[in-house]
Amino acid sequence: MEEINEGQLNIELTEEIAEGVYSNLAVITHSNAEFVVDFIRIMPGIPKAKVKSRIILTPEHAKRLLSALEDNVEKYEAANGRIKVQSENPGFPINFGGTVGQA
């Protein structure tokens, strides 16, 4: 018989979910009751992109996620150096800043 300690949560991660979904754009919206985070993958030269995953959070959980992300970014930068972010907002990087390929 499996023994579960008081206050311990058993979290299951299926193989499909464990593979993850690549996203290079997140769009965040909110109402008074929830935050919605849409994860999108945009590709160079393709003017259309689909939402790959949507996460809906309560305001409290959104704030907890923000705190957890800040903590993890600090730990990452302590181990790997500062993450560089472009200082000006170039808009959506549809062409990824590179040259357009020709066939």
Side-chain angles (χ1 to χ4, degrees), residues 19-89:
E19 288 179 13
V21 175
Y22 178 76
S23 169
N24 53 7
L25 176 66
V27 175
I28 304 170
T29 56
H30 68 277
S31 69
N32 63 334
E34 61 198 15
F35 280 73
V36 178
V37 184
D38 287 329
F39 293 96
I40 301 160
R41 181 186 317 147
I42 59 174
M43 299 303 288
I46 300 174
K48 186 176 181 181
K50 290 184 179 180
V51 173
K52 293 298 187 175
S53 183
R54 171 174 277 186
I55 305 297
I56 303 168
L57 304 157
T58 65
E60 180 183 354
H61 283 104
K63 192 151 190 174
R64 287 180 186 205
L65 175 61
L66 174 64
S67 177
L69 282 170
E70 288 173 336
D71 181 55
N72 276 269
V73 168
E74 286 175 12
K75 289 175 182 175
Y76 175 91
E77 288 182 332
N80 300 290
R82 188 168 180 270
I83 300 169
K84 295 177 184 168
V85 178
Q86 293 180 1
S87 59
E88 54 185 63
N89 184 2

